[in-house]
Amino acid sequence: MELSENRLQRRLDKLSEFTLPGRPWTRRAFTDLYASARDWLRQEMEAAGLETRIDAGGNLIGALAGAEPGLGVLAGGSHIDTVVDGGRYDGILGVVTALEAVQAIVESGEKPRHTLEVIDFLSEEPSDYGVSCIGSRAMSGNLPADLLEYTNPAGERLGDAIRRAGGTPGKLNGALRGDAELAGFLELHIEQGRVLESTETQIGVVTNIVGIRRYEIVVTGRADHSGTTPMNLRQDALVGASRIVERVNAQAKACQSSNKYLVATVGKISIRPDAANAVPGEARITVEVRSDDQQRLDSFLKPIIDWAQETVCQQDQLRIEVHPLSASQPTDCAGPIIDTLADSAAALGLSSMKMPSGAGHDAAHIARLCPTGMLFVPCLDGRSHCPEEDITMQDAINGARVFTRALLSLDCMSPQDAMQAK
Ligand code: HGY
Ligand code: MN
Ligand code: MN
Protein backbone atom coordinates (compact mmCIF):
# COMPACT_ATOMS: atom_id res chain seq x y z
CA MET A 1 0.00 0.00 0.00
CA GLU A 2 1.62 3.26 -1.11
CA LEU A 3 0.94 6.83 0.06
CA SER A 4 1.29 9.42 -2.71
CA GLU A 5 3.51 12.30 -1.62
CA ASN A 6 2.65 14.18 -4.80
CA ARG A 7 -1.08 13.91 -4.16
CA LEU A 8 -0.58 14.98 -0.54
CA GLN A 9 1.40 18.02 -1.69
CA ARG A 10 -1.10 18.79 -4.49
CA ARG A 11 -4.03 18.80 -2.08
CA LEU A 12 -2.20 20.95 0.47
CA ASP A 13 -1.34 23.42 -2.29
CA LYS A 14 -4.87 23.43 -3.71
CA LEU A 15 -6.57 23.85 -0.32
CA SER A 16 -4.18 26.69 0.49
CA GLU A 17 -5.39 28.55 -2.61
CA PHE A 18 -8.76 29.04 -0.88
CA THR A 19 -7.70 32.14 1.06
CA LEU A 20 -8.64 35.83 1.10
CA PRO A 21 -6.50 37.43 -1.60
CA GLY A 22 -3.50 39.21 -0.10
CA ARG A 23 -4.21 37.81 3.38
CA PRO A 24 -2.67 34.35 3.42
CA TRP A 25 -3.98 32.32 5.04
CA THR A 26 -7.48 33.41 5.85
CA ARG A 27 -10.32 30.92 5.27
CA ARG A 28 -12.90 31.77 7.91
CA ALA A 29 -15.66 29.29 8.69
CA PHE A 30 -19.12 30.06 7.31
CA THR A 31 -17.78 32.28 4.50
CA ASP A 32 -18.34 31.62 0.78
CA LEU A 33 -14.60 30.97 0.46
CA TYR A 34 -14.84 28.26 3.12
CA ALA A 35 -17.90 26.75 1.40
CA SER A 36 -15.96 26.58 -1.89
CA ALA A 37 -13.01 24.89 -0.16
CA ARG A 38 -15.36 22.36 1.43
CA ASP A 39 -17.04 21.67 -1.90
CA TRP A 40 -13.63 21.00 -3.46
CA LEU A 41 -12.75 18.69 -0.55
CA ARG A 42 -16.05 16.82 -0.89
CA GLN A 43 -15.30 16.21 -4.58
CA GLU A 44 -11.80 14.94 -3.68
CA MET A 45 -13.32 12.56 -1.12
CA GLU A 46 -15.78 11.24 -3.71
CA ALA A 47 -13.03 10.90 -6.33
CA ALA A 48 -11.13 8.83 -3.75
CA GLY A 49 -14.09 6.46 -3.56
CA LEU A 50 -15.65 7.68 -0.30
CA GLU A 51 -19.36 8.22 0.42
CA THR A 52 -19.76 11.84 1.58
CA ARG A 53 -22.31 13.50 3.85
CA ILE A 54 -22.74 16.56 6.09
CA ASP A 55 -23.93 15.58 9.57
CA ALA A 56 -26.31 17.58 11.77
CA GLY A 57 -23.35 19.43 13.27
CA GLY A 58 -22.18 20.62 9.84
CA ASN A 59 -19.20 18.23 9.71
CA LEU A 60 -18.13 17.03 6.25
CA ILE A 61 -17.57 13.25 6.42
CA GLY A 62 -16.19 10.85 3.79
CA ALA A 63 -16.75 7.16 4.59
CA LEU A 64 -15.29 3.88 3.30
CA ALA A 65 -17.40 0.87 4.31
CA GLY A 66 -15.51 -1.83 6.25
CA ALA A 67 -15.83 -5.61 6.01
CA GLU A 68 -17.09 -5.90 9.60
CA PRO A 69 -19.43 -2.92 10.17
CA GLY A 70 -20.21 -4.19 13.66
CA LEU A 71 -16.69 -3.12 14.73
CA GLY A 72 -17.68 0.54 14.46
CA VAL A 73 -15.95 3.45 12.75
CA LEU A 74 -12.29 4.40 12.83
CA ALA A 75 -12.07 8.10 12.00
CA GLY A 76 -9.34 10.60 11.26
CA GLY A 77 -9.47 14.27 10.43
CA SER A 78 -9.15 17.85 11.61
CA HIS A 79 -10.38 21.22 10.27
CA ILE A 80 -9.92 23.41 7.18
CA ASP A 81 -10.97 26.75 8.64
CA THR A 82 -8.25 29.19 9.75
CA VAL A 83 -7.83 32.15 12.06
CA VAL A 84 -7.52 35.53 10.33
CA ASP A 85 -4.04 35.91 8.74
CA GLY A 86 -3.38 32.37 9.94
CA GLY A 87 -1.11 29.57 8.86
CA ARG A 88 -1.01 27.38 5.77
CA TYR A 89 -1.03 23.97 7.53
CA ASP A 90 -2.99 24.38 10.82
CA GLY A 91 -5.87 21.91 10.36
CA ILE A 92 -5.62 21.12 6.66
CA LEU A 93 -2.61 18.83 7.19
CA GLY A 94 -4.79 16.53 9.32
CA VAL A 95 -7.69 16.44 6.87
CA VAL A 96 -5.55 15.93 3.76
CA THR A 97 -3.46 13.25 5.51
CA ALA A 98 -6.53 11.29 6.63
CA LEU A 99 -7.88 11.45 3.07
CA GLU A 100 -4.54 10.28 1.64
CA ALA A 101 -4.38 7.36 4.10
CA VAL A 102 -7.89 6.11 3.28
CA GLN A 103 -7.43 6.64 -0.47
CA ALA A 104 -4.21 4.61 -0.36
CA ILE A 105 -6.18 1.82 1.37
CA VAL A 106 -8.87 2.01 -1.34
CA GLU A 107 -6.21 1.83 -4.07
CA SER A 108 -4.51 -1.12 -2.40
CA GLY A 109 -7.69 -3.15 -2.92
CA GLU A 110 -7.58 -4.12 0.79
CA LYS A 111 -10.95 -3.91 2.57
CA PRO A 112 -10.55 -2.53 6.09
CA ARG A 113 -12.33 -4.37 8.93
CA HIS A 114 -13.74 -1.12 10.40
CA THR A 115 -15.59 1.50 8.40
CA LEU A 116 -13.08 4.33 7.93
CA GLU A 117 -14.11 7.99 8.00
CA VAL A 118 -12.32 11.20 7.02
CA ILE A 119 -13.82 14.17 8.90
CA ASP A 120 -13.50 17.90 8.28
CA PHE A 121 -14.93 19.38 11.50
CA LEU A 122 -16.95 22.56 11.15
CA SER A 123 -15.30 25.74 12.49
CA GLU A 124 -12.55 24.53 14.83
CA GLU A 125 -11.09 28.02 15.27
CA PRO A 126 -12.84 30.56 17.52
CA SER A 127 -15.64 31.68 15.21
CA ASP A 128 -17.24 35.10 14.79
CA TYR A 129 -20.08 33.68 16.96
CA GLY A 130 -17.69 33.37 19.93
CA VAL A 131 -17.55 29.56 19.89
CA SER A 132 -14.76 27.25 18.66
CA CYS A 133 -14.77 23.54 17.76
CA ILE A 134 -18.40 23.87 16.68
CA GLY A 135 -18.59 20.63 14.67
CA SER A 136 -16.73 18.45 17.16
CA ARG A 137 -18.75 19.93 20.05
CA ALA A 138 -21.92 19.09 18.11
CA MET A 139 -20.73 15.55 17.29
CA SER A 140 -19.91 14.89 20.96
CA GLY A 141 -23.16 16.40 22.28
CA ASN A 142 -21.42 19.44 23.74
CA LEU A 143 -23.14 22.26 21.81
CA PRO A 144 -26.03 23.21 24.10
CA ALA A 145 -29.01 25.13 22.71
CA ASP A 146 -27.93 28.42 24.37
CA LEU A 147 -24.78 28.49 22.26
CA LEU A 148 -26.92 28.28 19.11
CA GLU A 149 -28.32 31.69 20.09
CA TYR A 150 -24.88 33.34 20.01
CA THR A 151 -24.68 35.84 17.14
CA ASN A 152 -21.93 37.14 14.87
CA PRO A 153 -21.35 40.93 14.46
CA ALA A 154 -23.90 40.92 11.61
CA GLY A 155 -26.51 39.47 14.00
CA GLU A 156 -26.79 35.97 12.48
CA ARG A 157 -27.50 33.22 15.05
CA LEU A 158 -24.99 30.36 15.24
CA GLY A 159 -27.87 27.91 14.69
CA ASP A 160 -28.71 29.60 11.39
CA ALA A 161 -25.05 29.54 10.36
CA ILE A 162 -24.84 25.81 11.05
CA ARG A 163 -27.93 25.32 8.87
CA ARG A 164 -26.26 27.40 6.12
CA ALA A 165 -23.26 25.02 6.37
CA GLY A 166 -25.56 22.04 5.73
CA GLY A 167 -26.19 21.05 9.36
CA THR A 168 -29.48 20.53 11.22
CA PRO A 169 -29.38 22.66 14.39
CA GLY A 170 -32.66 21.17 15.61
CA LYS A 171 -30.97 17.79 16.02
CA LEU A 172 -28.12 18.91 18.27
CA ASN A 173 -29.60 18.01 21.63
CA GLY A 174 -27.22 15.10 22.14
CA ALA A 175 -24.19 13.31 20.72
CA LEU A 176 -24.47 12.62 17.01
CA ARG A 177 -22.76 9.24 17.26
CA GLY A 178 -24.28 6.33 19.15
CA ASP A 179 -22.51 4.59 22.02
CA ALA A 180 -19.42 2.72 20.72
CA GLU A 181 -20.32 3.75 17.14
CA LEU A 182 -16.86 5.31 16.96
CA ALA A 183 -14.14 2.77 17.76
CA GLY A 184 -11.35 5.34 17.64
CA PHE A 185 -10.22 8.74 16.34
CA LEU A 186 -6.79 9.99 15.19
CA GLU A 187 -5.77 13.57 14.43
CA LEU A 188 -2.49 14.61 12.81
CA HIS A 189 -1.60 18.27 13.43
CA ILE A 190 1.39 20.58 13.26
CA GLU A 191 2.80 21.08 16.76
CA GLN A 192 2.29 24.87 16.77
CA GLY A 193 5.18 25.08 19.24
CA ARG A 194 8.93 24.53 19.11
CA VAL A 195 9.54 21.44 21.27
CA LEU A 196 9.93 18.95 18.38
CA GLU A 197 12.12 21.28 16.33
CA SER A 198 14.34 22.22 19.29
CA THR A 199 14.83 18.57 20.30
CA GLU A 200 15.16 17.42 16.67
CA THR A 201 12.35 14.92 17.18
CA GLN A 202 10.38 13.83 14.11
CA ILE A 203 7.03 12.86 15.69
CA GLY A 204 5.15 14.11 18.76
CA VAL A 205 2.74 11.62 20.38
CA VAL A 206 0.19 13.64 22.34
CA THR A 207 -0.55 12.48 25.91
CA ASN A 208 -3.12 15.11 26.83
CA ILE A 209 -4.80 18.28 25.52
CA VAL A 210 -5.26 21.41 27.61
CA GLY A 211 -8.67 22.62 28.67
CA ILE A 212 -9.62 26.13 27.53
CA ARG A 213 -11.89 28.78 29.09
CA ARG A 214 -12.83 31.91 27.13
CA TYR A 215 -14.64 34.93 28.62
CA GLU A 216 -15.66 38.36 27.35
CA ILE A 217 -15.17 41.14 29.91
CA VAL A 218 -17.08 44.36 29.22
CA VAL A 219 -15.75 47.48 30.99
CA THR A 220 -18.21 50.38 30.98
CA GLY A 221 -17.26 53.97 31.82
CA ARG A 222 -18.39 57.16 30.14
CA ALA A 223 -17.63 58.39 26.65
CA ASP A 224 -16.50 62.03 26.76
CA HIS A 225 -14.77 64.69 24.68
CA SER A 226 -11.01 64.09 24.95
CA GLY A 227 -10.24 67.82 24.90
CA THR A 228 -12.64 69.21 27.39
CA THR A 229 -12.83 66.46 30.02
CA PRO A 230 -10.38 67.02 32.91
CA MET A 231 -8.26 63.96 33.85
CA ASN A 232 -9.80 63.70 37.31
CA LEU A 233 -13.36 63.56 35.94
CA ARG A 234 -12.84 60.75 33.43
CA GLN A 235 -14.39 57.29 33.47
CA ASP A 236 -12.02 55.83 30.89
CA ALA A 237 -13.06 52.24 30.08
CA LEU A 238 -9.90 51.51 28.10
CA VAL A 239 -7.63 52.49 30.99
CA GLY A 240 -9.64 50.15 33.21
CA ALA A 241 -9.49 47.31 30.68
CA SER A 242 -5.74 47.82 30.26
CA ARG A 243 -5.22 47.37 34.01
CA ILE A 244 -7.19 44.11 33.85
CA VAL A 245 -5.08 42.92 30.88
CA GLU A 246 -1.92 43.62 32.88
CA ARG A 247 -3.37 41.71 35.87
CA VAL A 248 -4.26 38.67 33.74
CA ASN A 249 -0.70 38.52 32.45
CA ALA A 250 0.86 38.99 35.91
CA GLN A 251 -1.36 36.33 37.51
CA ALA A 252 -0.61 33.81 34.75
CA LYS A 253 3.13 34.41 35.20
CA ALA A 254 2.72 33.94 38.96
CA CYS A 255 0.95 30.60 38.31
CA GLN A 256 3.87 29.06 36.41
CA SER A 257 5.00 25.78 37.96
CA SER A 258 7.13 22.87 36.86
CA ASN A 259 4.37 20.29 36.84
CA LYS A 260 1.29 22.23 35.79
CA TYR A 261 0.67 24.01 32.51
CA LEU A 262 -1.16 27.32 32.55
CA VAL A 263 -1.23 30.22 30.08
CA ALA A 264 -3.62 33.18 29.82
CA THR A 265 -4.03 35.62 26.97
CA VAL A 266 -6.08 38.69 26.08
CA GLY A 267 -6.08 38.40 22.29
CA LYS A 268 -9.07 40.50 21.30
CA ILE A 269 -10.09 44.03 22.25
CA SER A 270 -12.66 46.50 20.96
CA ILE A 271 -13.56 49.94 22.27
CA ARG A 272 -16.33 52.44 21.71
CA PRO A 273 -16.57 55.11 20.39
CA ASP A 274 -13.07 54.18 19.10
CA ALA A 275 -12.18 57.73 18.08
CA ALA A 276 -8.93 59.66 18.58
CA ASN A 277 -10.76 62.54 20.23
CA ALA A 278 -13.10 60.59 22.52
CA VAL A 279 -12.54 59.11 25.99
CA PRO A 280 -13.50 55.40 25.58
CA GLY A 281 -16.85 54.70 27.22
CA GLU A 282 -16.74 50.94 26.64
CA ALA A 283 -13.98 48.34 26.26
CA ARG A 284 -14.54 44.64 25.47
CA ILE A 285 -11.70 42.14 25.95
CA THR A 286 -11.57 38.36 25.59
CA VAL A 287 -9.67 36.50 28.29
CA GLU A 288 -8.50 32.98 27.40
CA VAL A 289 -7.07 30.62 30.02
CA ARG A 290 -5.55 27.21 29.21
CA SER A 291 -4.38 24.52 31.60
CA ASP A 292 -4.10 20.76 31.98
CA ASP A 293 -5.56 21.14 35.49
CA GLN A 294 -9.34 21.58 35.87
CA GLN A 295 -9.12 23.28 39.27
CA ARG A 296 -6.60 25.91 38.05
CA LEU A 297 -8.76 26.58 35.02
CA ASP A 298 -11.88 27.09 37.11
CA SER A 299 -10.22 29.30 39.75
CA PHE A 300 -8.10 31.60 37.57
CA LEU A 301 -10.43 34.50 36.72
CA LYS A 302 -12.40 35.15 39.94
CA PRO A 303 -9.50 36.73 41.95
CA ILE A 304 -8.88 39.11 39.07
CA ILE A 305 -12.53 40.17 38.87
CA ASP A 306 -12.70 40.64 42.67
CA TRP A 307 -9.54 42.79 42.53
CA ALA A 308 -10.96 44.82 39.61
CA GLN A 309 -14.24 45.48 41.43
CA GLU A 310 -12.40 46.77 44.51
CA THR A 311 -9.79 48.88 42.71
CA VAL A 312 -10.29 49.67 39.05
CA CYS A 313 -14.06 50.12 39.35
CA GLN A 314 -13.96 52.13 42.57
CA GLN A 315 -11.16 54.45 41.48
CA ASP A 316 -12.47 55.27 38.02
CA GLN A 317 -16.23 54.69 38.55
CA LEU A 318 -16.31 51.86 36.05
CA ARG A 319 -18.56 48.80 35.79
CA ILE A 320 -17.50 45.35 34.60
CA GLU A 321 -19.52 42.40 33.32
CA VAL A 322 -18.10 38.92 32.70
CA HIS A 323 -19.64 36.76 29.96
CA PRO A 324 -18.36 33.16 29.74
CA LEU A 325 -17.98 32.36 26.02
CA SER A 326 -16.86 28.73 25.84
CA ALA A 327 -15.19 25.97 27.80
CA SER A 328 -13.42 22.72 26.99
CA GLN A 329 -12.07 20.25 29.53
CA PRO A 330 -8.49 19.03 29.96
CA THR A 331 -8.45 15.75 28.01
CA ASP A 332 -6.26 12.65 28.18
CA CYS A 333 -5.54 10.72 24.99
CA ALA A 334 -6.20 6.96 25.13
CA GLY A 335 -3.26 4.88 26.37
CA PRO A 336 -3.49 2.12 23.73
CA ILE A 337 -3.64 4.72 20.96
CA ILE A 338 -0.65 6.57 22.41
CA ASP A 339 1.23 3.26 22.37
CA THR A 340 0.06 2.44 18.82
CA LEU A 341 1.32 5.83 17.57
CA ALA A 342 4.66 5.48 19.37
CA ASP A 343 5.09 1.91 18.05
CA SER A 344 4.19 3.04 14.52
CA ALA A 345 6.83 5.79 14.61
CA ALA A 346 9.44 3.34 15.90
CA ALA A 347 8.55 0.74 13.27
CA LEU A 348 9.16 3.40 10.60
CA GLY A 349 12.50 4.35 12.14
CA LEU A 350 11.27 7.80 13.17
CA SER A 351 12.17 9.44 16.48
CA SER A 352 9.20 10.36 18.66
CA MET A 353 8.44 11.83 22.05
CA LYS A 354 5.32 11.94 24.22
CA MET A 355 4.12 15.46 24.92
CA PRO A 356 1.07 17.52 25.99
CA SER A 357 -0.79 19.81 23.61
CA GLY A 358 -1.04 23.47 24.63
CA ALA A 359 -3.26 24.00 21.60
CA GLY A 360 -6.91 23.02 21.63
CA HIS A 361 -8.11 20.54 19.03
CA ASP A 362 -11.26 18.79 17.80
CA ALA A 363 -9.73 15.62 19.26
CA ALA A 364 -10.38 17.01 22.76
CA HIS A 365 -14.12 16.86 22.08
CA ILE A 366 -14.14 13.57 20.18
CA ALA A 367 -12.32 11.98 23.14
CA ARG A 368 -15.70 12.19 24.93
CA LEU A 369 -17.01 9.68 22.38
CA CYS A 370 -14.20 7.18 21.83
CA PRO A 371 -10.51 6.33 22.35
CA THR A 372 -8.65 9.25 20.79
CA GLY A 373 -5.06 10.02 19.87
CA MET A 374 -3.08 12.83 18.26
CA LEU A 375 0.30 13.07 16.61
CA PHE A 376 2.35 16.18 15.83
CA VAL A 377 4.94 17.05 13.24
CA PRO A 378 7.41 19.92 13.75
CA CYS A 379 6.71 23.39 12.41
CA LEU A 380 9.31 26.00 11.55
CA ASP A 381 10.45 27.91 14.64
CA GLY A 382 7.22 26.75 16.34
CA ARG A 383 5.26 29.50 14.57
CA SER A 384 1.52 29.09 13.99
CA HIS A 385 -1.61 31.25 13.62
CA CYS A 386 0.51 33.50 11.40
CA PRO A 387 1.60 33.49 7.73
CA GLU A 388 5.12 32.42 8.82
CA GLU A 389 3.76 28.98 9.78
CA ASP A 390 5.69 26.41 7.74
CA ILE A 391 6.63 22.69 7.65
CA THR A 392 8.80 20.54 5.41
CA MET A 393 7.19 18.03 3.05
CA GLN A 394 9.43 15.41 4.62
CA ASP A 395 7.82 16.08 8.00
CA ALA A 396 4.38 15.98 6.36
CA ILE A 397 5.05 12.58 4.78
CA ASN A 398 6.60 11.28 8.04
CA GLY A 399 3.39 12.24 9.81
CA ALA A 400 1.25 10.68 7.10
CA ARG A 401 3.19 7.40 7.27
CA VAL A 402 2.84 7.16 11.07
CA PHE A 403 -0.84 8.14 10.88
CA THR A 404 -1.55 5.49 8.23
CA ARG A 405 0.39 2.75 10.00
CA ALA A 406 -1.40 3.50 13.28
CA LEU A 407 -4.79 3.48 11.51
CA LEU A 408 -4.04 0.08 9.99
CA SER A 409 -2.87 -1.23 13.37
CA LEU A 410 -6.06 -0.04 15.05
CA ASP A 411 -8.10 -1.59 12.22
CA CYS A 412 -6.58 -4.96 12.95
CA MET A 413 -7.19 -4.63 16.69
CA SER A 414 -10.00 -6.85 17.97
CA PRO A 415 -13.09 -4.99 19.22
CA GLN A 416 -12.17 -5.96 22.79
CA ASP A 417 -8.74 -4.30 22.46
CA ALA A 418 -10.29 -1.21 20.94
CA MET A 419 -12.88 -1.00 23.72
CA GLN A 420 -10.11 -1.33 26.36
CA ALA A 421 -8.67 1.90 24.97
CA LYS A 422 -11.62 3.87 26.45
O1 HGY B 1 -6.58 27.81 19.58
C1 HGY B 1 -6.09 26.69 19.41
O2 HGY B 1 -5.45 26.18 20.31
C2 HGY B 1 -6.24 25.96 18.10
O3 HGY B 1 -5.14 26.24 17.29
N1 HGY B 1 -7.45 26.32 17.44
MN1 MN C 1 -5.54 26.85 15.13
MN1 MN D 1 -5.81 23.51 14.45
Side-chain angles (χ1 to χ4, degrees):
M1 196 197 73
E2 274 303 308
L3 295 173
S4 165
E5 184 174 342
N6 291 338
R7 187 165 55 196
L8 193 74
Q9 170 100 58
R10 174 177 63 79
R11 284 180 170 146
L12 288 171
D13 293 345
K14 180 66 188 166
L15 209 33
S16 305
E17 286 169 18
F18 293 96
T19 179
L20 279 187
R23 294 195 70 175
W25 277 266
T26 303
R27 183 170 46 254
R28 293 295 285 156
F30 303 110
T31 60
D32 291 346
L33 188 66
Y34 177 75
S36 309
R38 283 197 128 192
D39 199 43
W40 171 83
L41 178 62
R42 178 185 54 74
Q43 292 172 51
E44 291 292 298
M45 288 177 171
E46 288 166 2
L50 308 187
E51 287 281 318
T52 62
R53 69 183 191 276
I54 300 265
D55 73 4
N59 301 302
L60 172 59
I61 299 171
L64 172 68
E68 301 169 53
L71 289 180
V73 171
L74 277 178
S78 192
H79 62 96
I80 69 167
D81 62 306
T82 71
V83 297
V84 173
D85 301 330
R88 181 182 164 103
Y89 297 100
D90 173 1
I92 71 167
L93 181 64
V95 176
V96 169
T97 295
L99 178 53
E100 178 55 36
V102 177
Q103 183 162 3
I105 292 169
V106 171
E107 290 169 346
S108 74
E110 297 279 319
K111 193 151 178 71
R113 296 177 64 206
H114 296 75
T115 292
L116 303 181
E117 283 186 358
V118 176
I119 305 176
D120 164 31
F121 290 103
L122 177 65
S123 188
E124 186 272 347
E125 299 293 358
S127 67
D128 296 344
Y129 303 81
V131 184
S132 60
C133 293
I134 292 172
S136 50
R137 285 177 192 276
M139 187 176 281
S140 57
N142 186 23
L143 193 69
D146 59 316
L147 267 61
L148 299 179
E149 300 309 317
Y150 283 18
T151 56
N152 69 356
E156 181 186 36
R157 290 175 55 259
L158 174 56
D160 295 332
I162 291 172
R163 187 176 297 108
R164 219 164 25 87
T168 316
K171 291 186 177 169
L172 299 183
N173 45 8
L176 300 181
R177 311 303 293 249
D179 248 357
E181 181 187 339
L182 279 180
F185 174 71
L186 287 180
E187 181 169 2
L188 167 65
H189 206 285
I190 57 170
E191 180 198 341
Q192 298 180 298
R194 58 198 78 172
V195 171
L196 293 177
E197 185 184 56
S198 61
T199 57
E200 295 180 2
T201 310
Q202 291 165 305
I203 298 289
V205 177
V206 177
T207 50
N208 58 302
I209 304 166
V210 291
I212 304 177
R213 294 278 183 283
R214 290 195 184 108
Y215 309 86
E216 180 181 62
I217 296 180
V218 185
V219 181
T220 306
R222 197 177 90 161
D224 272 317
H225 191 293
S226 66
T228 56
T229 311
M231 294 312 289
N232 65 330
L233 297 181
R234 293 181 177 210
Q235 295 166 251
D236 188 326
L238 181 53
V239 169
S242 307
R243 293 176 65 189
I244 293 171
V245 172
E246 172 62 32
R247 189 78 175 198
V248 165
N249 185 269
Q251 179 162 311
K253 285 178 177 170
C255 284
Q256 294 310 298
S257 82
S258 56
N259 62 344
K260 289 287 177 198
Y261 185 91
L262 184 139
V263 290
T265 314
V266 175
K268 267 184 89 165
I269 185 166
S270 63
I271 62 173
R272 291 196 321 176
D274 196 13
N277 59 351
V279 175
E282 179 189 272
R284 290 173 179 266
I285 58 175
T286 55
V287 177
E288 179 198 83
V289 194
R290 300 185 185 213
S291 176
D292 53 0
D293 180 287
Q294 183 85 37
Q295 195 277 328
R296 287 155 71 91
L297 265 182
D298 291 337
S299 60
F300 181 83
L301 190 65
K302 185 173 184 316
I304 295 173
I305 300 303
D306 293 347
W307 163 83
Q309 297 285 17
E310 286 150 25
T311 56
V312 177
C313 294
Q314 300 290 341
Q315 292 156 9
D316 290 351
Q317 295 170 64
L318 300 173
R319 272 186 307 106
I320 54 176
E321 297 159 54
V322 180
H323 303 300
L325 288 177
S326 64
S328 66
Q329 312 312 334
T331 303
D332 291 332
C333 292
I337 296 194
I338 292 170
D339 296 342
T340 303
L341 286 166
D343 295 347
S344 301
L348 292 164
L350 296 170
S351 58
S352 72
M353 62 183 287
K354 292 179 181 164
M355 60 191 292
S357 172
H361 296 286
D362 291 308
H365 295 279
I366 301 307
R368 293 161 62 116
L369 289 175
C370 67
T372 291
M374 282 198 81
L375 67 157
F376 285 160
V377 291
C379 46
L380 188 72
D381 193 24
R383 304 293 301 278
S384 183
H385 283 185
C386 59
E388 293 78 14
E389 181 185 284
D390 201 0
I391 63 171
T392 67
M393 261 324 282
Q394 185 55 56
D395 283 331
I397 202 72
N398 288 346
R401 293 173 67 213
V402 175
F403 177 95
T404 306
R405 189 180 182 98
L407 188 69
L408 291 170
S409 303
L410 293 172
D411 184 40
C412 296
M413 278 168 83
S414 69
Q416 291 70 26
D417 299 341
M419 291 312 288
Q420 275 163 15
K422 264 213 185 285

